[in-house]
Amino acid sequence: IKTDPLGNYTYVNDFFYERFGYDSKIIGTSSLDSIVVEDHPKCLAVVMQCFAEPEMPHQVILRKPYSDNTVKSNHWEFKGIRGAQGEVVEILCVGYDVTLLDVTSQQNIRLQNFAYIISHNIRSHSANLTSLVQLLAEAENKEQGDLFLQLLQTSTEKLAETIENLNDIVTVNSNFNKPKEHRRLREEVTKTLETMSVLVRQHGIAVDVQVPPDLTVNVVPAYLDSILLNLLSNAVKYRSPQRPAQILVRAHQEPGFVVLTVQDNGLGIDLVKNRAKLFGMYKTFHENEDARGVGLFITKNHIEAMSGSIAVESEVEGGSTFKVYFNENA
């Protein structure tokens, strides 16, 4: 396209008409109003550069929302065209569709995050299954073996559910408008604790669940599964050898939110030093060999993806308390 120095259309090709859904009536109207919405100031600044350096092409990427709820990305190059007296009389605008490149970049980020989720969540189940197989092999009698076999069956069922939920995450990433589901929070907490029952028993951890049986949360089930698994497994993993381990799980309702609290009396975290990086990728705060620094990163991303938030209070050797705010209005 071409515009006059004020940004009004003077020439438009057929592809532009097809691309943006306009017709020849736009000739003489402002290009800044029709092409650009949110990026109007950015585009105007680039156009102004054409007057200072007409021979130089000036570039900008603009994203415009459309009536079908899609967002298209366009790379534009602007160049000033001089008149007989050396003044800028027209601005040549050449556009390229880069929507696919933009989408591909976002997909790569989501794919990478999905890989982290698989690695972290499946590894938690794997550790539990490995412990169960070992206990089953060392069972002293049939009654004990039957108990471990039953726990092994429960753990494999939970693993299958997690894998199914990971498939839901893929669907969520390709369909951001997927509706949430109401889940009974106590039931979900109980199911997660069942998958960790061997580790809880092995280490003599006292678990107290104070969640009203009828309290529901409006969530993406795959995300809730991951959030509970990460918070509860961390409470087990980072217990203190100096005292009997305890985990307290509570929940209550506030206006617009359901608040889940997971409290332990474990090693704790130095928040004075680490609060700013607590939910960062690959950030670890203890010497555990299996610490990867992705659990809290994943947890925070899942909570925020559902328009919720997470808060933490902790001190070294004083345990940690995580509060998850599930947004009931989102």
Side-chain angles (χ1 to χ4, degrees):
I1 64 174
K2 290 182 181 180
T3 75
D4 62 21
L6 297 178
N8 299 315
Y9 292 109
T10 58
Y11 168 79
V12 175
N13 65 14
D14 291 337
F15 177 78
F16 181 88
Y17 287 138
E18 180 181 350
R19 165 76 171 172
F20 293 99
Y22 296 115
D23 56 33
S24 59
K25 294 179 181 178
I26 67 170
I27 298 297
T29 64
S30 174
S31 62
L32 294 177
D33 292 336
S34 58
I35 298 180
V36 189
V37 179
E38 297 177 354
D39 294 317
H40 189 295
K42 184 193 299 183
C43 183
L44 184 59
V46 173
V47 170
M48 294 305 295
Q49 289 179 326
C50 293
F51 291 91
E53 301 175 295
E55 286 77 15
M56 292 290 295
H58 302 279
Q59 305 176 11
V60 65
I61 293 179
L62 304 173
R63 294 176 176 84
K64 178 177 171 63
Y66 288 79
S67 58
D68 61 356
N69 293 323
T70 62
V71 177
K72 296 179 180 178
S73 300
N74 303 278
H75 177 104
W76 288 95
E77 291 187 1
F78 298 87
K79 186 175 181 180
I81 300 176
R82 295 183 184 273
Q85 305 301 319
E87 76 281 14
V88 174
V89 295
E90 277 189 318
I91 298 175
L92 176 64
C93 313
V94 180
Y96 307 91
D97 182 1
V98 294
T99 303
L100 181 59
L101 296 176
D102 191 51
V103 169
T104 301
S105 176
Q106 295 177 27
Q107 288 175 337
N108 286 339
I109 293 173
R110 291 198 295 270
L111 181 61
Q112 186 180 42
N113 286 340
F114 182 61
Y116 293 142
I117 293 168
I118 291 176
S119 173
H120 186 274
N121 290 7
I122 297 299
R123 188 160 47 84
S124 296
H125 288 294
S126 175
N128 192 54
L129 290 171
T130 299
S131 297
L132 273 171
V133 170
Q134 182 178 350
L135 289 172
L136 184 60
E138 299 173 354
E140 298 178 355
N141 52 56
K142 184 178 184 301
E143 182 179 349
Q144 194 176 70
D146 288 344
L147 173 61
F148 292 146
L149 186 61
Q150 181 180 354
L151 292 173
L152 184 62
Q153 181 179 353
T154 300
S155 293
T156 55
E157 289 173 355
K158 187 63 179 178
L159 173 60
E161 181 181 338
T162 296
I163 292 173
E164 182 178 349
N165 284 342
L166 288 172
N167 184 60
D168 288 342
I169 292 175
V170 175
T171 305
V172 169
N173 281 336
S174 60
N175 180 9
F176 294 100
N177 295 319
K178 179 179 178 180
K180 300 178 183 178
E181 299 178 16
H182 284 279
R183 293 294 175 97
R184 292 182 184 273
L185 186 55
R186 186 184 180 94
E187 290 182 7
E188 299 302 316
V189 171
T190 300
K191 285 194 296 184
T192 302
L193 287 171
E194 285 175 355
T195 69
M196 302 166 50
S197 58
V198 174
L199 294 175
V200 170
R201 291 186 184 189
Q202 275 184 329
H203 301 294
I205 301 173
V207 181
D208 184 9
V209 179
Q210 300 178 14
V211 179
D214 295 329
L215 184 62
T216 63
V217 285
N218 190 26
V219 294
V220 176
Y223 289 176
L224 178 61
D225 178 40
S226 183
I227 291 165
L228 292 175
L229 183 61
N230 283 329
L231 292 181
L232 291 171
S233 63
N234 277 355
V236 172
K237 185 186 303 181
Y238 300 114
R239 64 193 179 279
S240 173
Q242 306 300 323
R243 52 191 166 272
Q246 298 176 350
I247 301 174
L248 173 60
V249 183
R250 293 172 292 171
H252 67 276
Q253 199 145 20
E254 295 182 0
F257 293 92
V258 170
V259 184
L260 169 71
T261 302
V262 178
Q263 181 179 354
D264 64 62
N265 66 337
L267 296 174
I269 303 169
D270 185 351
L271 293 183
V272 174
K273 183 176 14 176
N274 297 311
R275 185 181 290 274
K277 60 180 181 180
L278 184 62
F279 296 99
M281 177 68 78
Y282 301 130
K283 303 301 182 183
T284 59
F285 311 100
H286 301 98
E287 300 300 324
N288 294 49
E289 292 182 359
D290 59 345
R292 298 292 185 273
V294 297
L296 290 180
F297 171 83
I298 292 170
T299 298
K300 185 172 186 290
N301 276 266
H302 284 172
I303 294 168
E304 292 180 347
M306 297 185 293
S307 301
S309 61
I310 183 170
V312 59
E313 290 301 327
S314 184
E315 60 181 63
V316 177
E317 290 298 336
S320 300
T321 300
F322 288 88
K323 287 188 176 182
V324 178
Y325 293 81
F326 294 102
N327 191 332
E328 293 298 287
N329 299 322

